Amino acid sequence: MAGTTDFVGVRVFSDLRSTVAKIDTRDSTVLGMVVPAPLADNAAFPVGELVRLSTDDPVQVAKLGAGIALDTVNQIASEGIVTDIAFTRVAHSAEADPGAKLEAEINNIVGSAGAKTGIWTMLEAKAHLGLEPGAIIAPGYTSQRIGGVANAVATAMSTVAGKIIDCMAIVDTPVTDREAAAAYAEDFATALNVIACYPQVVVNLGAGNVTRSMSPHVAAAMIRRDKETGGPYKAFWNRPLQGILGPSVPVGYIDGEITSDANFLNQAGVGTIIEGKLLWAPFTTASDPTVQNWRSIKRIRTRRAVEKAVLRPLRQYLSEDITPHMVSLIYRSLDQFLGDLQTLGAIIDYELLWSASMNPATILEAGALRVKMRFAETPDLVDLQIYSEPQPEAFDVLQAAIAASLSQLGLNNVRVTA
């Protein structure tokens, strides 16, 4: 402020912003969905436009008309949750040939990255709807390997989810057999954000039992767990799916048997259902040795949630002078956030590092600041190993106990000897 001013007296310049940024994890319970809806109301769901769809609004849901979109919403709701969906309706194909129709609709769902159509509209959901998906689904269009190559919709979903950062692509595999499901997952062996589901599920949506994609139920199970625990830091597998009658084909599982179907699928990066309704899905498709350490869905969701959470709140420090005080405020904000996560059990431990070598004078002069967060996510237990072996010395204990018991009888004709 200048040494001289045009005012004589006392003035107040009020700044009510919090000095320590409040960092919190965003709402992870929003779904993104991109599918055709040929019978939908055109005014309620214009083709190619993002719409906020609430599973708790029966009038709006009814306007979807019969088809995959309506079935998917009913499947999600059958899991006992209420959520918002960022929904983009894409054009359906009028092709008479089923193969040509499928390919055309897959192309519409994939859309254009440059034009932000199809799956790519999910990147605009925050700006247009105030919603940002924590998971993306496109049931009915992710299981195919046309031409023996990776599914185009699942590929685009993984890319878009990666740009959102803390978002998962939940897809379905072929249902031919477990080997086909494993081959599908191999296409995404280096992806950290793809959850693959096998087989399909049997559901009743009000008009008899039908077979439908498993992915809507897995997405809903993830949302249900997030709502129960208040964030994306807890595993959602090893809990029953509430809206299904059972898997479309049985998946074998025997406790302790590593060659069972379920374990084969899990190790290949495919989630499944055992014992009728129990979701058995600890891992993403990340089976490649370069990323396998991050295949736990719980761990990667925690890592990405933390990384995403710090971005927007710390914007408040942009444009401020780089001073020791301002840098201290940033560290205090991060320490507070990570400390809360440790209290919640989301992370084991953490530390925040200031490195002079990472922040040389040239970097500071350019207006940059580098902060290093180190933390370890709490892993979910997936392999409980119990070792059994005989204990012959227990019989010595038994022998002594028998002798003591007989000695206490106080009978003259009962004698205990060595």
Side-chain angles (χ1 to χ4, degrees):
M1 183 176 292
T4 58
T5 70
D6 55 0
F7 180 75
V8 176
V10 179
R11 287 184 284 178
V12 174
F13 300 93
S14 180
D15 183 354
L16 301 181
R17 293 178 301 173
S18 173
T19 56
V20 178
K22 178 66 172 70
I23 303 174
D24 201 357
T25 308
R26 74 175 181 90
D27 182 7
S28 56
T29 64
V30 173
L31 273 179
M33 180 174 72
V34 183
V35 290
L39 301 179
D41 182 287
N42 291 323
F45 301 103
V47 173
E49 292 188 20
L50 277 162
V51 175
R52 177 193 291 260
L53 172 60
S54 172
T55 60
D56 201 33
D57 185 343
V59 175
Q60 186 189 30
V61 169
K63 292 180 181 180
L64 287 169
I68 285 179
L70 180 60
D71 285 354
T72 299
V73 172
N74 284 329
Q75 287 176 260
I76 292 166
S78 75
E79 290 293 328
I81 65 159
V82 174
T83 189
D84 285 328
I85 300 173
F87 174 50
T88 298
R89 174 192 177 192
V90 297
H92 69 281
S93 171
E95 290 279 356
D97 177 69
K101 175 179 172 63
L102 175 65
E103 288 198 46
E105 290 179 347
I106 283 177
N107 292 340
N108 292 339
I109 294 171
V110 171
S112 165
K116 295 293 190 295
T117 59
I119 289 292
W120 299 91
T121 59
M122 293 298 107
L123 296 176
E124 305 293 308
K126 177 73 174 177
H128 288 271
L129 304 176
L131 301 175
E132 196 165 35
I136 303 172
I137 57 174
Y141 297 93
T142 60
S143 63
Q144 303 82 5
R145 296 186 77 244
I146 298 173
V149 297
N151 181 276
V153 173
T155 300
M157 286 169 60
S158 177
T159 303
V160 170
K163 292 180 75 67
I164 295 174
I165 301 176
D166 59 341
C167 183
M168 306 301 290
I170 304 181
V171 303
D172 297 283
T173 71
V175 294
T176 314
D177 51 43
R178 69 178 201 173
E179 284 74 21
Y184 176 100
E186 181 65 25
D187 291 333
F188 302 98
T190 58
L192 295 173
N193 57 9
V194 177
I195 301 173
C197 309
Y198 171 92
Q200 292 180 307
V201 292
V202 179
V203 296
N204 190 309
L205 304 177
N209 294 355
V210 292
T211 300
R212 292 291 183 267
S213 298
M214 180 177 161
S215 55
H217 294 274
V218 173
M222 185 181 83
I223 290 171
R224 181 171 59 244
R225 184 64 171 155
D226 286 4
K227 286 177 178 286
E228 288 172 353
T229 61
Y233 305 121
K234 303 297 181 183
F236 60 88
W237 66 285
N238 196 22
R239 287 166 173 78
L241 296 176
Q242 298 180 9
I244 71 168
L245 306 180
S248 58
V249 296
V251 176
Y253 181 77
I254 302 173
D255 286 311
E257 180 53 68
I258 65 172
T259 61
S260 65
D261 288 343
N263 191 57
F264 171 86
L265 289 164
N266 286 169
Q267 300 308 321
V270 180
T272 190
I273 300 167
I274 66 169
E275 299 171 356
K277 294 187 176 184
L278 194 63
L279 179 60
W280 212 241
F283 304 138
T284 67
T285 57
S287 59
D288 188 88
T290 60
V291 294
Q292 194 175 34
N293 286 344
W294 292 101
R295 65 178 179 162
S296 164
I297 296 172
K298 177 190 184 299
R299 284 195 65 206
I300 193 60
R301 289 192 74 214
T302 298
R303 173 68 53 165
R304 294 299 189 229
V306 172
E307 292 171 347
K308 181 63 175 280
V310 303
L311 296 179
R312 287 191 175 92
L314 293 184
R315 284 181 188 172
Q316 80 172 57
Y317 297 113
L318 297 177
S319 80
E320 299 294 332
D321 295 338
I322 298 179
T323 63
H325 176 64
M326 190 271 285
V327 174
S328 296
L329 292 177
I330 293 173
Y331 274 76
R332 284 181 59 190
S333 298
L334 291 171
D335 181 66
Q336 192 174 81
F337 174 53
L338 294 172
D340 287 344
L341 293 183
Q342 186 176 18
T343 300
L344 291 171
I347 62 176
I348 302 169
D349 199 4
Y350 71 94
E351 64 178 357
L352 298 165
L353 300 181
W354 164 262
S355 171
S357 62
M358 287 180 61
N359 290 277
T362 52
I363 288 292
L364 296 174
E365 185 180 11
L369 182 68
R370 293 169 175 168
V371 179
K372 180 176 284 188
M373 297 188 304
R374 299 183 73 243
F375 62 93
E377 308 82 6
T378 307
D380 50 330
L381 179 63
V382 296
D383 184 8
L384 177 58
Q385 302 179 15
I386 301 173
Y387 292 83
S388 171
E389 62 181 41
Q391 187 187 19
E393 62 271 22
F395 293 98
D396 296 332
V397 176
L398 176 61
Q399 182 189 65
I402 292 171
S405 179
L406 292 175
S407 296
Q408 292 170 5
L409 290 176
L411 299 176
N412 293 332
N413 294 326
V414 176
R415 187 161 58 96
V416 176
T417 64

mmCIF file of all heavy atoms in Angstrom, residues 54-85:
data_model
loop_
_atom_site.group_PDB
_atom_site.id
_atom_site.type_symbol
_atom_site.label_atom_id
_atom_site.label_comp_id
_atom_site.label_asym_id
_atom_site.label_seq_id
_atom_site.Cartn_x
_atom_site.Cartn_y
_atom_site.Cartn_z
ATOM 1 N N SER A 54 -32.140 -39.182 -11.964
ATOM 2 C CA SER A 54 -32.188 -39.651 -10.583
ATOM 3 C C SER A 54 -32.919 -40.980 -10.513
ATOM 4 O O SER A 54 -34.039 -41.111 -11.041
ATOM 5 C CB SER A 54 -32.896 -38.627 -9.687
ATOM 6 O OG SER A 54 -33.096 -39.164 -8.394
ATOM 7 N N THR A 55 -32.311 -41.952 -9.864
ATOM 8 C CA THR A 55 -32.972 -43.251 -9.714
ATOM 9 C C THR A 55 -34.177 -43.148 -8.788
ATOM 10 O O THR A 55 -34.978 -44.086 -8.708
ATOM 11 C CB THR A 55 -31.997 -44.299 -9.141
ATOM 12 O OG1 THR A 55 -31.542 -43.863 -7.846
ATOM 13 C CG2 THR A 55 -30.802 -44.492 -10.059
ATOM 14 N N ASP A 56 -34.316 -42.020 -8.087
ATOM 15 C CA ASP A 56 -35.412 -41.830 -7.131
ATOM 16 C C ASP A 56 -36.571 -41.027 -7.726
ATOM 17 O O ASP A 56 -37.478 -40.631 -6.991
ATOM 18 C CB ASP A 56 -34.874 -41.121 -5.882
ATOM 19 C CG ASP A 56 -35.761 -41.335 -4.664
ATOM 20 O OD1 ASP A 56 -36.358 -42.421 -4.554
ATOM 21 O OD2 ASP A 56 -35.839 -40.429 -3.812
ATOM 22 N N ASP A 57 -36.541 -40.804 -9.049
ATOM 23 C CA ASP A 57 -37.590 -40.021 -9.711
ATOM 24 C C ASP A 57 -38.334 -40.927 -10.687
ATOM 25 O O ASP A 57 -37.927 -41.077 -11.844
ATOM 26 C CB ASP A 57 -36.972 -38.835 -10.444
ATOM 27 C CG ASP A 57 -38.006 -37.897 -11.052
ATOM 28 O OD1 ASP A 57 -39.169 -38.315 -11.197
ATOM 29 O OD2 ASP A 57 -37.650 -36.756 -11.393
ATOM 30 N N PRO A 58 -39.431 -41.566 -10.257
ATOM 31 C CA PRO A 58 -40.117 -42.533 -11.129
ATOM 32 C C PRO A 58 -40.677 -41.920 -12.399
ATOM 33 O O PRO A 58 -40.750 -42.599 -13.437
ATOM 34 C CB PRO A 58 -41.228 -43.082 -10.230
ATOM 35 C CG PRO A 58 -41.408 -42.070 -9.151
ATOM 36 C CD PRO A 58 -40.067 -41.446 -8.945
ATOM 37 N N VAL A 59 -41.070 -40.665 -12.346
ATOM 38 C CA VAL A 59 -41.608 -40.014 -13.547
ATOM 39 C C VAL A 59 -40.512 -39.866 -14.593
ATOM 40 O O VAL A 59 -40.705 -40.186 -15.782
ATOM 41 C CB VAL A 59 -42.220 -38.640 -13.193
ATOM 42 C CG1 VAL A 59 -42.664 -37.919 -14.464
ATOM 43 C CG2 VAL A 59 -43.400 -38.819 -12.236
ATOM 44 N N GLN A 60 -39.356 -39.382 -14.169
ATOM 45 C CA GLN A 60 -38.242 -39.221 -15.104
ATOM 46 C C GLN A 60 -37.754 -40.572 -15.610
ATOM 47 O O GLN A 60 -37.494 -40.735 -16.815
ATOM 48 C CB GLN A 60 -37.091 -38.476 -14.426
ATOM 49 C CG GLN A 60 -35.939 -38.141 -15.384
ATOM 50 C CD GLN A 60 -34.724 -37.597 -14.674
ATOM 51 O OE1 GLN A 60 -34.459 -37.940 -13.519
ATOM 52 N NE2 GLN A 60 -33.953 -36.753 -15.351
ATOM 53 N N VAL A 61 -37.636 -41.547 -14.717
ATOM 54 C CA VAL A 61 -37.161 -42.870 -15.116
ATOM 55 C C VAL A 61 -38.082 -43.496 -16.158
ATOM 56 O O VAL A 61 -37.629 -44.108 -17.129
ATOM 57 C CB VAL A 61 -37.029 -43.788 -13.877
ATOM 58 C CG1 VAL A 61 -36.794 -45.238 -14.299
ATOM 59 C CG2 VAL A 61 -35.885 -43.316 -12.977
ATOM 60 N N ALA A 62 -39.400 -43.324 -15.990
ATOM 61 C CA ALA A 62 -40.361 -43.903 -16.935
ATOM 62 C C ALA A 62 -40.186 -43.347 -18.338
ATOM 63 O O ALA A 62 -40.485 -44.023 -19.331
ATOM 64 C CB ALA A 62 -41.782 -43.658 -16.438
ATOM 65 N N LYS A 63 -39.673 -42.118 -18.442
ATOM 66 C CA LYS A 63 -39.499 -41.492 -19.749
ATOM 67 C C LYS A 63 -38.339 -42.092 -20.543
ATOM 68 O O LYS A 63 -38.138 -41.758 -21.707
ATOM 69 C CB LYS A 63 -39.289 -39.984 -19.585
ATOM 70 C CG LYS A 63 -40.531 -39.262 -19.091
ATOM 71 C CD LYS A 63 -40.295 -37.765 -18.923
ATOM 72 C CE LYS A 63 -41.552 -37.069 -18.412
ATOM 73 N NZ LYS A 63 -41.339 -35.610 -18.238
ATOM 74 N N LEU A 64 -37.567 -42.990 -19.909
ATOM 75 C CA LEU A 64 -36.512 -43.694 -20.654
ATOM 76 C C LEU A 64 -37.094 -44.653 -21.674
ATOM 77 O O LEU A 64 -36.454 -44.967 -22.676
ATOM 78 C CB LEU A 64 -35.616 -44.461 -19.690
ATOM 79 C CG LEU A 64 -34.656 -43.643 -18.824
ATOM 80 C CD1 LEU A 64 -34.038 -44.519 -17.745
ATOM 81 C CD2 LEU A 64 -33.565 -43.019 -19.690
ATOM 82 N N GLY A 65 -38.319 -45.143 -21.425
ATOM 83 C CA GLY A 65 -38.900 -46.140 -22.308
ATOM 84 C C GLY A 65 -38.221 -47.483 -22.137
ATOM 85 O O GLY A 65 -37.135 -47.583 -21.552
ATOM 86 N N ALA A 66 -38.837 -48.519 -22.645
ATOM 87 C CA ALA A 66 -38.291 -49.870 -22.502
ATOM 88 C C ALA A 66 -36.942 -49.975 -23.208
ATOM 89 O O ALA A 66 -36.718 -49.372 -24.253
ATOM 90 C CB ALA A 66 -39.277 -50.886 -23.066
ATOM 91 N N GLY A 67 -36.040 -50.748 -22.620
ATOM 92 C CA GLY A 67 -34.728 -50.948 -23.236
ATOM 93 C C GLY A 67 -33.624 -51.036 -22.204
ATOM 94 O O GLY A 67 -33.873 -51.087 -20.990
ATOM 95 N N ILE A 68 -32.390 -51.037 -22.678
ATOM 96 C CA ILE A 68 -31.232 -51.220 -21.807
ATOM 97 C C ILE A 68 -31.136 -50.125 -20.751
ATOM 98 O O ILE A 68 -30.832 -50.393 -19.586
ATOM 99 C CB ILE A 68 -29.942 -51.272 -22.644
ATOM 100 C CG1 ILE A 68 -29.829 -52.622 -23.355
ATOM 101 C CG2 ILE A 68 -28.706 -51.058 -21.768
ATOM 102 C CD1 ILE A 68 -28.604 -52.762 -24.229
ATOM 103 N N ALA A 69 -31.393 -48.887 -21.135
ATOM 104 C CA ALA A 69 -31.255 -47.780 -20.184
ATOM 105 C C ALA A 69 -32.204 -47.956 -19.000
ATOM 106 O O ALA A 69 -31.794 -47.826 -17.836
ATOM 107 C CB ALA A 69 -31.507 -46.450 -20.879
ATOM 108 N N LEU A 70 -33.469 -48.257 -19.284
ATOM 109 C CA LEU A 70 -34.449 -48.446 -18.213
ATOM 110 C C LEU A 70 -34.096 -49.669 -17.371
ATOM 111 O O LEU A 70 -34.164 -49.627 -16.136
ATOM 112 C CB LEU A 70 -35.849 -48.596 -18.797
ATOM 113 C CG LEU A 70 -36.975 -48.811 -17.782
ATOM 114 C CD1 LEU A 70 -37.057 -47.641 -16.807
ATOM 115 C CD2 LEU A 70 -38.306 -49.027 -18.490
ATOM 116 N N ASP A 71 -33.718 -50.758 -18.012
ATOM 117 C CA ASP A 71 -33.339 -51.961 -17.272
ATOM 118 C C ASP A 71 -32.158 -51.672 -16.335
ATOM 119 O O ASP A 71 -32.130 -52.129 -15.196
ATOM 120 C CB ASP A 71 -32.962 -53.091 -18.231
ATOM 121 C CG ASP A 71 -34.186 -53.718 -18.901
ATOM 122 O OD1 ASP A 71 -35.313 -53.345 -18.534
ATOM 123 O OD2 ASP A 71 -33.996 -54.582 -19.784
ATOM 124 N N THR A 72 -31.188 -50.904 -16.836
ATOM 125 C CA THR A 72 -30.001 -50.596 -16.032
ATOM 126 C C THR A 72 -30.372 -49.790 -14.800
ATOM 127 O O THR A 72 -29.889 -50.072 -13.689
ATOM 128 C CB THR A 72 -28.976 -49.827 -16.879
ATOM 129 O OG1 THR A 72 -28.571 -50.644 -17.978
ATOM 130 C CG2 THR A 72 -27.753 -49.473 -16.048
ATOM 131 N N VAL A 73 -31.228 -48.802 -14.958
ATOM 132 C CA VAL A 73 -31.657 -47.999 -13.813
ATOM 133 C C VAL A 73 -32.395 -48.879 -12.805
ATOM 134 O O VAL A 73 -32.191 -48.766 -11.586
ATOM 135 C CB VAL A 73 -32.540 -46.825 -14.269
ATOM 136 C CG1 VAL A 73 -33.144 -46.105 -13.059
ATOM 137 C CG2 VAL A 73 -31.738 -45.844 -15.108
ATOM 138 N N ASN A 74 -33.242 -49.780 -13.296
ATOM 139 C CA ASN A 74 -33.953 -50.690 -12.394
ATOM 140 C C ASN A 74 -32.990 -51.637 -11.680
ATOM 141 O O ASN A 74 -33.170 -51.952 -10.494
ATOM 142 C CB ASN A 74 -34.989 -51.498 -13.172
ATOM 143 C CG ASN A 74 -36.227 -50.674 -13.512
ATOM 144 O OD1 ASN A 74 -36.606 -49.767 -12.776
ATOM 145 N ND2 ASN A 74 -36.841 -50.962 -14.651
ATOM 146 N N GLN A 75 -31.958 -52.082 -12.382
ATOM 147 C CA GLN A 75 -30.958 -52.945 -11.752
ATOM 148 C C GLN A 75 -30.219 -52.201 -10.639
ATOM 149 O O GLN A 75 -29.980 -52.747 -9.561
ATOM 150 C CB GLN A 75 -29.956 -53.446 -12.802
ATOM 151 C CG GLN A 75 -30.514 -54.498 -13.750
ATOM 152 C CD GLN A 75 -29.504 -54.866 -14.826
ATOM 153 O OE1 GLN A 75 -29.593 -54.386 -15.961
ATOM 154 N NE2 GLN A 75 -28.542 -55.703 -14.482
ATOM 155 N N ILE A 76 -29.850 -50.963 -10.920
ATOM 156 C CA ILE A 76 -29.141 -50.157 -9.922
ATOM 157 C C ILE A 76 -30.029 -49.934 -8.705
ATOM 158 O O ILE A 76 -29.608 -50.123 -7.557
ATOM 159 C CB ILE A 76 -28.711 -48.812 -10.538
ATOM 160 C CG1 ILE A 76 -27.630 -49.043 -11.600
ATOM 161 C CG2 ILE A 76 -28.212 -47.855 -9.460
ATOM 162 C CD1 ILE A 76 -27.378 -47.843 -12.487
ATOM 163 N N ALA A 77 -31.273 -49.552 -8.947
ATOM 164 C CA ALA A 77 -32.200 -49.291 -7.848
ATOM 165 C C ALA A 77 -32.487 -50.561 -7.050
ATOM 166 O O ALA A 77 -32.727 -50.494 -5.832
ATOM 167 C CB ALA A 77 -33.495 -48.694 -8.386
ATOM 168 N N SER A 78 -32.449 -51.718 -7.703
ATOM 169 C CA SER A 78 -32.741 -52.982 -7.009
ATOM 170 C C SER A 78 -31.697 -53.326 -5.966
ATOM 171 O O SER A 78 -31.924 -54.187 -5.108
ATOM 172 C CB SER A 78 -32.858 -54.128 -8.021
ATOM 173 O OG SER A 78 -31.583 -54.521 -8.512
ATOM 174 N N GLU A 79 -30.545 -52.659 -6.017
ATOM 175 C CA GLU A 79 -29.513 -52.877 -5.010
ATOM 176 C C GLU A 79 -29.755 -52.043 -3.743
ATOM 177 O O GLU A 79 -28.930 -52.036 -2.842
ATOM 178 C CB GLU A 79 -28.133 -52.556 -5.594
ATOM 179 C CG GLU A 79 -27.651 -53.558 -6.631
ATOM 180 C CD GLU A 79 -27.377 -54.937 -6.039
ATOM 181 O OE1 GLU A 79 -26.966 -55.003 -4.859
ATOM 182 O OE2 GLU A 79 -27.581 -55.938 -6.745
ATOM 183 N N GLY A 80 -30.890 -51.350 -3.727
ATOM 184 C CA GLY A 80 -31.262 -50.637 -2.510
ATOM 185 C C GLY A 80 -30.597 -49.295 -2.329
ATOM 186 O O GLY A 80 -30.447 -48.820 -1.206
ATOM 187 N N ILE A 81 -30.187 -48.664 -3.422
ATOM 188 C CA ILE A 81 -29.526 -47.365 -3.317
ATOM 189 C C ILE A 81 -30.288 -46.313 -4.108
ATOM 190 O O ILE A 81 -31.097 -46.631 -4.987
ATOM 191 C CB ILE A 81 -28.074 -47.415 -3.834
ATOM 192 C CG1 ILE A 81 -28.051 -47.714 -5.348
ATOM 193 C CG2 ILE A 81 -27.255 -48.434 -3.078
ATOM 194 C CD1 ILE A 81 -26.784 -47.310 -6.018
ATOM 195 N N VAL A 82 -30.019 -45.076 -3.783
ATOM 196 C CA VAL A 82 -30.503 -43.929 -4.557
ATOM 197 C C VAL A 82 -29.285 -43.148 -4.996
ATOM 198 O O VAL A 82 -28.399 -42.849 -4.184
ATOM 199 C CB VAL A 82 -31.433 -43.038 -3.706
ATOM 200 C CG1 VAL A 82 -31.807 -41.777 -4.478
ATOM 201 C CG2 VAL A 82 -32.684 -43.806 -3.295
ATOM 202 N N THR A 83 -29.223 -42.827 -6.268
ATOM 203 C CA THR A 83 -28.077 -42.068 -6.762
ATOM 204 C C THR A 83 -28.468 -41.250 -7.978
ATOM 205 O O THR A 83 -29.528 -41.466 -8.584
ATOM 206 C CB THR A 83 -26.915 -43.019 -7.122
ATOM 207 O OG1 THR A 83 -25.747 -42.248 -7.399
ATOM 208 C CG2 THR A 83 -27.235 -43.848 -8.351
ATOM 209 N N ASP A 84 -27.615 -40.314 -8.324
ATOM 210 C CA ASP A 84 -27.765 -39.565 -9.566
ATOM 211 C C ASP A 84 -26.889 -40.191 -10.635
ATOM 212 O O ASP A 84 -25.798 -40.696 -10.349
ATOM 213 C CB ASP A 84 -27.359 -38.102 -9.372
ATOM 214 C CG ASP A 84 -28.409 -37.304 -8.620
ATOM 215 O OD1 ASP A 84 -29.611 -37.614 -8.760
ATOM 216 O OD2 ASP A 84 -28.040 -36.378 -7.886
ATOM 217 N N ILE A 85 -27.365 -40.129 -11.856
ATOM 218 C CA ILE A 85 -26.628 -40.664 -12.996
ATOM 219 C C ILE A 85 -26.438 -39.548 -14.013
ATOM 220 O O ILE A 85 -27.395 -38.864 -14.388
ATOM 221 C CB ILE A 85 -27.386 -41.828 -13.666
ATOM 222 C CG1 ILE A 85 -27.607 -42.970 -12.669
ATOM 223 C CG2 ILE A 85 -26.651 -42.323 -14.899
ATOM 224 C CD1 ILE A 85 -28.500 -44.084 -13.191
#
